Amino acid sequence: MAHRAPLLHFLAENNLQYFPDGVLLLDTATGNVVACGGASALLEQYPQAQVTVHDNALIMPGLIDTHIHFPQVDVIASYGEQLLEWLNNYTFPTEAGFADQHIAETTAEFFLQELLRNGTTTAAVYGSVHASAADAFFKASYRHNTRMIMGKSMMDRNTPDNLSESTEQSLRETRDLISYWHNNGRQLYAATLRFVVTSSAKQMDDIHNLMEDYPDLYMQTHLAENLSELELVKSMYPERLDYVDVFDHHGLLGPRSIFGHGIHLSERELQRLQDTQSRIAFCPTSNLFLGSGLYQLDKPGFDIHTGIATDVGAGTSFSMLQTLHEAYKVCQLNGTNLSPTRAFYMATLGNAKALSLDDKIGNFEAGKEADFIVCDLAATPLMQRRQAICKTLDEQLFALMILGDDRAIRHTYVNGSMSACSAA
Ligand code: GUN
Ligand code: ZN
């Protein structure tokens, strides 16, 4: 099986491959990539390949989202608050509803369909506190065969009664979910420490122990998003140097730890994150929506491994294209530029690296799982008009990330097969 259209992917951050008449060749038995390259050479080499031609299209690797909440589909576009009020007034009450299995199952299915409609094939996903809802999510993802990282939120203090759980129950349920779902098909588990405010010190130690027991387990949490949150954490842990030190003290920094936001950090904290190769998920639409602050993507003197993410439902769009658009604006306000090639690198191979999945996804190297999208660069009259005057690939990509959204995703393929959730 082969797909023919202009094709773009990254071999490294500054190493983009573009074939104006490209072919992506798949192994139908495994759904993996056999090769990609220029059509004439590749089709000569594989004359038997059945070719699907995509007109007026661009083939790219599936987009990757490093931070999103599945039970917050209905929280999106909730008016007028910043983080802590937003959590208490909108988010916690909505998440409490996920005790209901019907809500959990139908929302998991909707959420996955919405990701796929937007061209996102992998995400690091937060669940509600309910193990049964996490199980519903994994079942749905398993059915779609999507590569997802997910975990139930662990919250053993400072939560409303209808979301509370004991430290012991949280650990037991998390262990059960890990043993069933972690590395089951394409599913992966992330111990999900919602944020320091809602976890006890004992719970943080439990998560550290889980990570020792399962070296390829992920840990995801929120960090230094909002100034009132910072004050709260300081009042809870006066004995720690700073916010990052709370995690450090419990052995929770490292390359498999993904920290959402990380906007308000000192140089000391940045240095610790860098030294431990911890990851930050930059969530521009969320940071603007909640008024949390402007994440500095390029910090002079630092090289922090940063992924990019939607953070729905504080984030305002499932579309990684819209997320790149807002990231560009955040960089503008910081006095820097986000080039279109860097942006698309971040949303594909860069995010795969942030999630330590670049041996499996993120580009079209032989043997990788063939998650890819067929984009329509002229999906709207305005996009068509703007693309018509683009002179370079950079200009085309920039117009795609500024003007594009779900309408620009014509098809989404998961491990070689077209998802039923594609637009066409
Ligand atoms: N901090 C703790 N929980 C959340 C959440 O659900 N969303 C965001 N944006 N920040 C958080
Ligand atoms: Zn979040």
Side-chain angles (χ1 to χ4, degrees):
M1 192 71 207
H3 294 268
R4 182 170 184 172
L7 181 150
L8 167 81
H9 73 149
F10 291 85
L11 297 174
E13 174 148 11
N14 293 311
N15 192 355
L16 169 157
Q17 258 193 343
Y18 177 65
F19 301 100
D21 180 11
V23 158
L24 178 62
L25 194 73
L26 309 178
D27 176 342
T28 7
T30 61
N32 291 347
V33 174
V34 174
C36 78
S40 56
L42 211 54
L43 293 178
E44 203 169 295
Q45 212 180 330
Y46 296 93
Q48 316 287 23
Q50 266 184 36
V51 184
T52 303
V53 178
H54 301 278
D55 291 324
N56 304 316
L58 174 68
I59 293 175
M60 257 199 279
L63 304 173
I64 300 172
D65 186 343
T66 55
H67 181 126
I68 185 166
H69 298 254
F70 115 79
Q72 293 181 13
V73 168
D74 297 327
V75 179
I76 201 163
S78 292
Y79 175 77
E81 307 285 12
Q82 293 216 349
L83 177 65
L84 299 177
E85 302 78 30
W86 174 87
L87 282 171
N88 286 324
N89 295 344
Y90 298 118
T91 308
F92 288 155
T94 303
E95 291 195 13
F98 283 71
D100 179 317
Q101 199 58 6
H102 179 70
I103 291 180
E105 285 169 8
T106 51
T107 309
E109 183 56 31
F110 177 89
F111 177 90
L112 284 162
Q113 290 190 15
E114 195 62 16
L115 283 180
L116 292 168
R117 251 177 27 77
N118 279 280
T120 300
T121 47
T122 287
V125 181
Y126 287 60
S128 65
V129 73
H130 314 96
S132 49
D135 194 60
F137 177 89
F138 276 124
K139 280 193 178 117
S141 177
Y142 189 91
R143 271 199 310 276
H144 283 278
N145 196 26
T146 37
R147 187 168 275 294
M148 291 286 157
I149 301 172
M150 195 266 176
K152 82 167 215 76
S153 284
M154 299 175 80
M155 302 196 272
D156 68 345
R157 69 167 168 179
N158 292 331
T159 54
D161 286 347
N162 58 3
L163 285 177
S164 71
E165 56 172 358
S166 71
T167 317
E168 295 68 34
Q169 180 191 355
S170 188
L171 178 62
R172 185 170 14 91
E173 291 184 349
T174 298
R175 273 201 187 281
D176 288 349
L177 285 165
I178 293 170
S179 59
Y180 192 79
W181 284 113
H182 189 49
N183 290 309
N184 184 349
R186 302 184 81 198
Q187 309 314 309
L188 295 161
Y189 202 87
T192 301
L193 194 174
R194 184 179 202 122
F195 69 153
V196 162
V197 175
T198 49
S199 283
S200 65
K202 165 74 168 68
Q203 183 151 76
M204 289 193 261
D205 287 336
D206 286 348
I207 294 174
H208 170 78
N209 291 334
L210 283 173
M211 297 193 68
E212 299 260 287
D213 291 351
Y214 297 90
D216 65 343
L217 193 68
Y218 295 91
M219 194 285 285
Q220 59 183 353
T221 189
H222 295 87
L223 168 69
E225 176 179 4
N226 166 283
L227 294 176
S228 304
E229 170 208 6
L230 254 67
E231 287 304 311
L232 197 52
V233 171
K234 207 175 187 177
S235 70
M236 292 168 73
Y237 289 95
E239 69 279 22
R240 300 285 159 251
L241 294 172
D242 46 44
Y243 204 151
V244 165
D245 195 42
V246 179
F247 292 105
D248 210 352
H249 180 76
H250 294 281
L252 292 175
L253 303 182
R256 298 188 86 85
S257 297
I258 309 150
F259 292 93
H261 310 294
I263 302 169
H264 308 286
L265 294 171
S266 66
E267 296 209 338
R268 196 209 76 81
E269 291 175 292
L270 292 171
Q271 194 63 52
R272 280 304 291 152
L273 291 171
Q274 178 174 312
D275 290 348
T276 55
Q277 298 178 52
S278 300
R279 311 310 208 226
I280 289 185
F282 168 32
C283 307
T285 73
S286 165
N287 297 163
L288 294 170
F289 181 75
L290 290 180
S292 303
L294 300 176
Y295 180 78
Q296 213 183 340
L297 187 55
D298 295 307
K299 300 172 179 68
F302 292 99
D303 182 16
I304 310 274
H305 202 136
T306 305
I308 186 158
T310 62
D311 193 28
V312 163
T316 50
S317 173
F318 275 78
S319 168
M320 287 303 295
L321 298 175
Q322 280 302 293
T323 303
L324 299 179
H325 170 161
E326 298 297 324
Y328 176 81
K329 291 176 179 170
V330 169
C331 288
Q332 285 284 56
L333 287 165
N334 280 328
T336 59
N337 290 122
L338 175 60
S339 74
T341 47
R342 183 175 178 200
F344 281 98
Y345 166 77
M346 285 186 79
T348 56
L349 186 62
N351 273 358
K353 282 184 192 280
L355 300 177
S356 304
L357 287 175
D358 49 310
D359 59 331
K360 297 185 176 66
I361 54 172
N363 66 10
F364 297 139
E365 279 172 341
K368 291 219 181 160
E369 299 163 357
D371 290 343
F372 63 99
I373 53 178
V374 179
C375 297
D376 181 355
L377 272 57
T380 69
L382 180 62
M383 289 177 77
Q384 187 175 19
R385 190 176 166 116
R386 185 64 186 87
Q387 289 291 340
I389 52 169
C390 286
K391 294 189 184 63
T392 62
L393 178 63
D394 270 1
E395 286 179 20
Q396 287 184 313
L397 291 176
F398 192 57
L400 175 62
M401 74 185 238
I402 298 301
L403 301 175
D405 52 27
D406 54 330
R407 293 168 294 181
I409 310 296
R410 193 185 292 164
H411 301 299
T412 302
Y413 287 79
V414 175
N415 206 14
S417 298
M418 197 206 287
S419 155
C421 312
S422 297

